[in-house]
Amino acid sequence: MKISILGTGYVGAVTGACFAELGNSVVFVDIDPAKLDLIRTGRSPIFEPGLDELLGKNLKRISATTDTGEAIRETDVTFICVGTPSNPDGSIDLQYIEAASQAIGEVLRQKESWHTVVMKSTVVSGTTAGIVQRTLEEASEKVAFRDFGLASNPEFLREGSALADVFSPDRIVIGAEDPRSREVLERLYSSFDCPKLVCAIPVAEMIKYVSNAFLATKISFANEIGNLCKLMGIDTAEVFEGVGLDARINPAFFRSGIGFGGSCFPKDVRALIAQAEEMGVLPKILQSVMAVNEDQPMRLLDLLKKHIPDLRGKRIGVLGLSFKPDTDDIRESRAIPIVSALLEAGADVIAYDPLAIANFRSLFPDISYASSAAEVLQSDAVLLITEWKGFEVLDYAGKIVIDGRRVPKAAIGSIYEGVCW
């Protein structure tokens, strides 16, 4: 199949590379020539383990261009993978979605053969059948589902394990309103042996948001229980080990700590809240999920102040800056509010992360950055923010350690506090 990918950010780069690995011809489209130059030489424009190798392996099936028209004319299906950033009120900004739809529609006006447009970007329910369909039809002067295809195919990628998530998915969701669009996506995923749910387009969009919102809810629930367990001297991990054995519940994401970050959970929960409020629904649970998550990092500071009441002039080490291991992504990282609070308290901060220092430096250029994790240990206290594997082999003996992610080695021989244990 001949596929065009609009947008070479995280979703677009991973999706396109994986489709090429499946034997398809893939054209990447972006307005940034530098990203396209990287792709042409088998290098990824974003960090994801294994993605460089996958791009390099499939260069014969991959091309890249800034010309949207050329890409759409020469392909059978276009995946919209552009960004959907948050507005100040938590709703999603659809300017890139609308621009992509306008560009596609203008090409479809001149194209005679059937073309299927697939929404891969994360958009709230009603977006594809609303502004996207309307823009495509107005720009093309054609009718969706009759003259061209339109579908939704949400992604369920986890940073750091995205390739495995594509090739070994829990499920594939296909939102399709016409048989030809459905057939295109079913053929594209014909080699996958996993549940495949075909549904209406708004249902597919909602599945994506509800999935992320529920996982975020599990994390905040675990943190709220963890805060209680901490006060009672109970190990929250043992509690959730027992809870997770219930087949109705499942143990995944019951990890107490300092909360969730990244490009998906915070943004998606806020967007669902904004949509609910716009429709006159008070999303009490989702609001509480975000409130718990915003408060949780500050519990690390409260524990630190038990051991060092006055942080002015104290050297505080921060281990981990990315929102999770195996990525350089600092979006919504719990390190951001923690470092901000440390600086406000007058602390001298030294930080280390295997991948995310350059990104974090753009936000905090004036703190110190260590060249190794061991260097951070030479501080008055150490905060564990991200559970990188390398932090599990350090010698924390004699140090004040406040652990936000449960690194067992950190408790050996140290003055140790876990945020929820």
Side-chain angles (χ1 to χ4, degrees):
M1 195 175 294
K2 295 180 179 179
I3 301 170
S4 46
I5 303 287
L6 266 60
T8 60
Y10 191 84
V11 173
V14 171
T15 299
C18 291
F19 281 156
E21 173 69 8
L22 292 170
N24 301 285
S25 174
V26 176
V27 182
F28 287 97
V29 184
D30 203 285
I31 61 173
D32 187 346
K35 290 183 178 181
L36 300 178
D37 287 341
L38 287 171
I39 289 172
R40 292 188 190 103
T41 56
R43 292 175 292 166
S44 171
I46 54 98
F47 176 81
E48 177 63 29
L51 191 52
D52 281 349
E53 292 79 1
L54 201 64
L55 286 167
K57 177 184 175 183
N58 291 285
L59 276 181
K60 291 183 178 179
R61 298 193 186 104
I62 289 172
S63 60
T65 181
T66 57
D67 190 337
T68 303
E70 177 188 9
I72 294 171
R73 284 190 295 270
E74 295 181 357
T75 56
D76 308 307
V77 54
T78 296
F79 283 81
I80 298 177
C81 302
V82 299
T84 53
S86 296
N87 289 313
D89 65 354
S91 63
I92 58 172
D93 182 349
L94 293 173
Q95 63 172 311
Y96 304 113
I97 294 291
E98 189 170 7
S101 302
Q102 178 71 28
I104 294 168
E106 290 172 357
V107 183
L108 294 184
R109 184 190 304 176
Q110 308 299 327
K111 186 170 182 176
E112 295 183 1
S113 59
W114 179 267
H115 194 93
T116 302
V117 180
V118 182
M119 179 58 65
K120 196 75 171 174
S121 300
T122 299
V123 292
V124 294
S125 185
T127 301
T128 304
I131 190 173
V132 173
Q133 180 178 338
R134 183 169 62 252
T135 303
L136 286 170
E137 290 181 335
E138 290 175 353
S140 68
E141 298 180 351
K142 294 182 176 182
V143 178
F145 315 122
R146 186 192 72 186
D147 304 318
F148 64 88
L150 183 60
S152 172
N153 177 219
E155 51 84 14
F156 300 97
L157 305 177
R158 296 169 296 169
E159 291 192 38
S161 59
L163 302 189
D165 291 338
V166 172
F167 295 122
S168 300
D170 295 321
R171 79 289 205 194
I172 293 169
V173 176
I174 296 171
E177 307 284 342
D178 66 278
R180 295 183 72 175
S181 296
R182 172 176 175 168
E183 190 274 334
V184 165
L185 287 170
E186 288 182 329
R187 182 154 51 96
L188 186 59
Y189 291 114
S190 61
S191 64
F192 287 78
D193 183 20
C194 69
K196 297 169 187 173
L197 175 64
V198 180
C199 56
I201 290 174
V203 174
E205 293 167 328
M206 186 60 86
I207 287 170
K208 165 65 176 180
Y209 272 93
V210 173
S211 296
N212 280 355
F214 183 68
L215 294 175
T217 300
K218 290 187 76 171
I219 294 171
S220 283
F221 178 76
N223 284 334
E224 190 158 84
I225 298 300
N227 295 337
L228 178 61
C229 287
K230 172 75 173 179
L231 295 174
M232 298 177 69
I234 297 172
D235 189 336
T236 184
E238 292 184 32
V239 172
F240 282 109
E241 181 182 6
V243 171
L245 292 174
D246 189 323
R248 300 167 300 174
I249 295 177
N250 186 293
F253 284 80
F254 278 144
R255 292 198 64 192
S256 299
I258 51 174
F260 54 81
S263 62
C264 293
F265 285 6
K267 180 170 80 75
D268 291 355
V269 176
R270 291 187 187 115
L272 198 53
I273 290 171
Q275 186 178 41
E277 291 176 337
E278 183 182 349
M279 299 187 72
V281 175
L282 181 60
K284 296 179 182 179
I285 292 176
L286 296 179
Q287 289 174 336
S288 296
V289 167
M290 292 307 300
V292 170
N293 197 61
E294 293 304 309
D295 289 345
Q296 204 64 18
M298 295 303 102
R299 294 186 175 273
L300 211 63
L301 272 296
D302 292 340
L303 292 172
L304 174 62
K305 290 178 180 179
K306 281 176 53 180
H307 299 272
I308 306 177
D310 186 357
L311 294 175
R312 285 176 295 182
K314 299 296 183 181
R315 189 169 177 82
I316 306 301
V318 173
L319 285 175
L321 301 172
S322 57
F323 85 93
K324 63 180 286 189
D326 300 318
T327 180
D328 64 351
D329 195 342
I330 64 166
R331 285 175 289 182
E332 301 278 354
S333 168
R334 301 296 81 191
I336 294 171
I338 288 170
V339 169
S340 295
L342 288 172
L343 294 176
E344 188 176 342
D348 176 20
V349 177
I350 180 169
Y352 174 77
D353 188 284
L355 291 176
I357 286 178
N359 290 337
F360 207 80
R361 197 191 301 271
S362 67
L363 296 181
F364 296 94
D366 298 327
I367 68 172
S368 300
Y369 292 93
S371 57
S372 69
E375 185 181 344
V376 173
L377 297 184
Q378 308 308 311
S379 305
D380 294 308
V382 176
L383 308 184
L384 277 160
I385 309 299
T386 314
E387 62 273 36
W388 285 95
K389 289 289 186 183
F391 300 164
E392 297 177 2
V393 298
L394 298 175
D395 182 4
Y396 296 90
K399 310 298 181 183
I400 297 175
V401 179
I402 314 299
D403 186 358
R405 297 298 186 189
R406 201 179 190 96
V407 178
K409 181 69 179 296
I412 300 176
S414 65
I415 302 169
Y416 177 86
E417 290 267 13
V419 69
C420 287
W421 54 90

